[in-house]
Amino acid sequence: MSDPSSRLNIALAMPQDVARRVFPARLLDRLEPGLNLLSTEPLQEFDSERSRALLASTDILITGWGCPQLDETVLDAAPNLRYILHAAGSAKHHVGQACWDRGLQVSTAAEANAVP
């Protein structure tokens, strides 16, 4: 069993219906032992107390269609954020200059989405 303090914390950021289609419970249950999903309920906005509390602990943000803009205010609420993994094509509608200025690593599923 991995040391809980060394596990990376993951949060989802997308509408609930998108999260259910892209990440059904059976897939979330298979996360690597070194990863900790903070909540199965995705962030649909970044302004609430719940959202700010989750962002404060997030190392990896998995985004999808409909994710809100990740601006400087959001990034300030997520001091541990290192990776944005976009489970869709282009991330240009929610990943902006503030993400690049902070040196975040951003990945998309654009290549996989191009296959069909």
Side-chain angles (χ1 to χ4, degrees):
M1 181 179 281
S2 63
D3 173 9
S5 65
S6 66
R7 295 171 67 181
L8 293 173
N9 290 322
I10 299 173
L12 303 174
M14 62 194 76
Q16 180 69 38
D17 63 321
V18 172
R20 284 190 184 127
R21 282 183 293 158
V22 177
F23 298 107
R26 66 180 166 70
L27 291 181
L28 294 177
D29 290 342
R30 294 175 40 199
L31 286 175
E32 292 294 321
L35 302 174
N36 177 45
L37 182 62
L38 295 171
S39 175
T40 57
E41 180 74 27
L43 301 172
Q44 298 182 59
E45 46 69 33
F46 297 128
D47 298 324
S48 69
E49 188 174 317
R50 173 188 175 268
S51 293
R52 288 190 300 275
L54 286 173
L55 286 169
S57 299
T58 299
D59 299 297
I60 302 170
L61 188 62
I62 300 177
T63 63
W65 302 279
C67 177
Q69 179 73 32
L70 295 163
D71 60 20
E72 207 167 305
T73 303
V74 174
L75 297 180
D76 286 346
N80 301 319
L81 185 62
R82 296 187 270 171
Y83 308 103
I84 298 169
L85 308 178
H86 188 55
S90 175
K92 69 182 177 183
H93 296 291
H94 66 274
V95 172
Q97 190 60 44
C99 296
W100 307 124
D101 290 346
R102 184 157 158 197
L104 297 177
Q105 293 187 36
V106 178
S107 175
T108 73
E111 188 173 322
N113 284 347
V115 172

